[in-house]
Amino acid sequence: MVLTKLLRMLVPVALIAGSTVAVPAQEALGDPSWNYDLVLGGGSATGNSKILASALGKIVTENVEGVRASGAVVPGFDAESVIHTHNGTMHGGVGTPLVITNATQGVAPFPSDGVDVKFWFAHNEVPLNILAQKDAGITKISELAGKTVALAPPGTSNYLFTEIILQAHGLQVSDLNVRTMDTSEAINQLQNGSVDAISYVRDYSGAILELSTARDIVLLQPEKEALDKIQQRIPWAGPKKWPFVDDYPNLEVPGEALVFVSPEFMFLDGDLENELVYAMTKAVWENIEEVRRSSQVFAEVNLEGALSGVPIEPHPGALLYYREMDVPGWEQYADLIPEQ
């Protein structure tokens, strides 16, 4: 299994939300007698998810007594993080609806009895971008047949998302010459001309800026006929105009700069104690400026939107805080909140 082989090769090495909901004055959180070491998965080394995970780890470690939180660079992104969470080597990470829903429902490559992970909070949505070398003569997604394309391994959000987009354009993944790799390596491969195109899920990226200045790159556009098919399968995906397109002045965009988007959220191990998760949640939102300063991508993360686009059950410990703060949507999950 490709994903399993990938996971065996990877070792965790590295660890977010403005708000119109009033946040109370900060008070001591946690307990000095606690002895928790937590690891949260981010993404590849050059991605914003790594930055997010690092900011969260810093907040929790500095503001919750008895807890040391760190992060992990995980090239396999949420598919890898959820497997590590199932195995007990991580305690959560950044997630996307396609992957985390599959994980909880036991869809391969995840264990058939499902993985017990819970929603923590929503933080932003990220675009699926498909970039090609200009020399490859490709301007549309439908023209990828027979081209060498870099994708993340099967089971990852990048792979699943791309598969749906391709099918809407009359293509199967098997119609492409696919090379599986993480996003950072895919960017390098496109820059040195080893692949014709890459498909990746990421917001603004300095690595993409460097790529677009080193080689002539084109943002592939969807066919209008495919949009309804995509909307039927993943209604949250858009398309939308790419908000960061102007940040890449050398990138060629043959059209409206349309991209498809996926919500991103933090998930946690369902076995984490409610008291611990409550303290972590409170710490994050009372120190959210740390997250907002970490990257322009997270500048508008806010408590009011913490429960937006929830694809799986929220963690009861987090719900305790959301009820306390009257965050929109908590009432839908009132039956999950433990009695106190």
Side-chain angles (χ1 to χ4, degrees), residues 235-247:
W236 38 259
K240 297 183 179 181
K241 184 172 181 179
W242 192 15
F244 295 103
V245 66
D246 293 335
D247 293 319

Side-chain angles (χ1 to χ4, degrees), residues 3-4 34 44 65 87 93 102 107 156 179 193 200 216 228 242 246 257 260 264 266 289 331 339-340:
L3 181 58
T4 301
W34 287 358
S44 60
E65 294 187 80
N87 293 338
N102 280 354
V107 177
T156 61
R179 296 183 184 173
Y200 71 103
D216 291 333
D228 286 343
W242 192 15
D246 293 335
F260 299 97
E264 278 195 345
M266 294 302 302
E289 285 304 320
E331 300 94 339
E339 295 182 5
Q340 292 180 295

Side-chain angles (χ1 to χ4, degrees), residues 17-31:
S19 172
T20 59
V21 179
V23 177
Q26 190 165 345
E27 59 188 53
L29 294 170
D31 188 314

Side-chain angles (χ1 to χ4, degrees), residues 47-91:
N48 289 302
S49 293
K50 180 204 69 171
I51 296 172
L52 168 60
S54 297
L56 290 174
K58 183 174 185 290
I59 290 171
V60 172
T61 299
E62 293 180 352
N63 295 278
V64 183
E65 294 187 80
V67 180
R68 295 166 298 280
S70 59
V73 172
V74 281
F77 192 47
D78 51 355
E80 180 185 345
S81 293
V82 78
I83 289 292
H84 278 301
T85 300
H86 179 68
N87 293 338
T89 53
M90 287 186 188
H91 305 88

Side-chain angles (χ1 to χ4, degrees), residues 97-108:
L98 290 173
V99 168
I100 304 304
T101 300
N102 280 354
T104 59
Q105 295 176 354
V107 177

Side-chain angles (χ1 to χ4, degrees), residues 192-304:
N192 65 31
S194 298
V195 297
D196 297 313
I198 65 174
S199 179
Y200 71 103
V201 180
R202 180 179 290 186
D203 241 314
Y204 175 77
S205 168
I208 296 296
L209 178 62
E210 181 180 346
L211 165 66
S212 66
T213 57
R215 178 175 287 274
D216 291 333
I217 300 297
V218 180
L219 175 67
L220 302 191
Q221 294 293 279
E223 302 277 5
K224 291 183 178 179
E225 297 77 14
L227 300 184
D228 286 343
K229 298 176 183 177
I230 295 168
Q231 181 72 20
Q232 290 172 9
R233 293 190 63 180
I234 41 176
W236 38 259
K240 297 183 179 181
K241 184 172 181 179
W242 192 15
F244 295 103
V245 66
D246 293 335
D247 293 319
Y248 304 106
N250 297 320
L251 178 65
E252 184 173 318
V253 183
E256 302 176 68
L258 294 179
V259 294
F260 299 97
V261 297
S262 174
E264 278 195 345
F265 56 90
M266 294 302 302
F267 67 88
L268 294 172
D269 185 344
D271 287 336
L272 290 181
E273 296 179 12
N274 293 334
E275 188 177 14
L276 168 63
V277 174
Y278 171 85
M280 292 168 58
T281 306
K282 186 177 178 70
V284 166
W285 292 109
E286 289 185 348
N287 297 276
I288 198 58
E289 285 304 320
E290 183 82 35
V291 168
R292 294 176 183 154
R293 289 192 300 266
S294 69
S295 169
Q296 68 185 87
V297 169
F298 306 122
E300 298 183 6
V301 175
N302 63 86
L303 178 57
E304 191 169 57

Side-chain angles (χ1 to χ4, degrees), residues 86-221:
H86 179 68
N87 293 338
T89 53
M90 287 186 188
H91 305 88
V94 181
T96 56
L98 290 173
V99 168
I100 304 304
T101 300
N102 280 354
T104 59
Q105 295 176 354
V107 177
F110 303 105
S112 59
D113 55 349
V115 180
D116 182 18
V117 292
K118 305 295 184 187
F119 184 90
W120 189 10
F121 63 85
H123 50 82
N124 70 314
E125 58 183 18
V126 293
L128 174 82
N129 299 315
I130 304 179
L131 302 180
Q133 295 187 53
K134 186 175 181 179
D135 290 345
I138 311 168
T139 60
K140 299 178 182 179
I141 295 172
S142 57
E143 297 170 345
L144 284 171
K147 302 297 184 180
T148 300
V149 181
L151 289 181
T156 61
S157 56
N158 169 251
Y159 188 98
L160 295 172
F161 206 171
T162 304
E163 184 175 43
I164 292 172
I165 303 303
L166 290 174
Q167 289 172 352
H169 287 84
L171 298 173
Q172 300 296 325
V173 173
S174 58
D175 294 326
L176 284 55
N177 177 21
V178 171
R179 296 183 184 173
T180 58
M181 62 191 74
D182 70 80
T183 298
S184 296
E185 179 58 25
I187 294 170
N188 289 334
Q189 292 279 328
L190 186 59
Q191 185 166 330
N192 65 31
S194 298
V195 297
D196 297 313
I198 65 174
S199 179
Y200 71 103
V201 180
R202 180 179 290 186
D203 241 314
Y204 175 77
S205 168
I208 296 296
L209 178 62
E210 181 180 346
L211 165 66
S212 66
T213 57
R215 178 175 287 274
D216 291 333
I217 300 297
V218 180
L219 175 67
L220 302 191
Q221 294 293 279

